[in-house]
Amino acid sequence: MHDTLRVEEALDLLRAELEVGRSAKAELTTRAAWRAFIRFGRQRFATAPTPDSDGLLFQYGTYDFSGRPMFTVDLTRQFDISDDDGEHDRYVQVHCELRYECEPALDALGDFNSWFFHDADADLDEWLADMEVQLELLLGGPSEVDVYEESV
């Protein structure tokens, strides 16, 4: 097990990282949220050293999660939580959702998703650079930001 941060601290850590990128009066920008997610994604948590126990997800598309269709960029950290016998119990996901008013240019992007897993012999910097290219396609800043945790 990695002996750094506890999974229970993940949501508060993400919120703290997002505050670093926000000035006192300014709204959170897409770029600042991405930089906060990168800092959050580089932190290691106390998880089993298995290829799927700690993952990062970058995804976007037009969804109506908030009651009306919005283009949504979902930056997610997923942790595999095991029971006392070491068997999979559930996933804990910490989300930062950036929601944008629908525009033809955003809708034209369609859907996209990509995973990165710590301890899976992949290169985090390479994955982040690839996601940065996807981020360049976005226009303006989000009209809504939602940061939350869920168990699935």
Side-chain angles (χ1 to χ4, degrees):
M1 302 256 311
H2 298 286
D3 57 356
T4 52
L5 299 165
R6 295 176 317 132
V7 170
E8 295 81 11
E9 299 173 280
L11 181 61
D12 289 337
L13 178 61
L14 177 57
R15 286 183 173 142
E17 291 293 353
L18 289 165
E19 285 303 314
V20 169
R22 184 187 312 218
S23 70
K25 295 182 181 178
E27 293 296 317
L28 186 68
T29 66
T30 301
R31 177 76 47 209
W34 175 244
R35 284 193 297 263
F37 187 71
I38 289 172
R39 291 188 303 272
F40 174 63
R42 289 186 186 283
Q43 299 285 332
R44 294 308 309 265
F45 287 81
T47 59
T50 58
D52 61 352
S53 66
D54 185 357
L56 305 175
L57 172 62
F58 178 100
Q59 64 182 339
Y60 62 71
T62 301
Y63 309 106
D64 63 354
F65 298 141
S66 63
R68 62 187 170 104
M70 297 189 83
F71 185 84
T72 303
V73 175
D74 185 7
L75 307 172
T76 301
R77 182 98 181 237
Q78 177 175 281
F79 302 100
D80 181 8
I81 306 299
S82 299
D83 61 18
D84 292 337
D85 296 325
E87 297 296 320
H88 170 77
D89 181 50
R90 70 190 186 287
Y91 293 107
V92 169
Q93 295 181 334
V94 177
H95 296 266
C96 176
E97 286 185 2
L98 308 171
R99 299 187 194 119
Y100 305 78
E101 298 300 326
C102 287
E103 297 179 22
L106 291 176
D107 290 338
L109 295 175
D111 295 347
F112 174 83
N113 71 72
S114 179
W115 282 96
F116 170 86
F117 287 95
H118 291 285
D119 300 319
D121 295 327
D123 185 274
L124 178 59
D125 290 326
E126 184 177 304
W127 182 80
L128 291 170
D130 290 346
M131 296 310 98
E132 190 86 24
V133 171
Q134 295 296 320
L135 196 66
E136 294 298 325
L137 302 173
L138 300 177
L139 308 171
S143 55
E144 297 177 14
V145 177
D146 192 12
V147 180
Y148 62 96
E149 178 179 297
E150 65 179 341
S151 289
V152 293

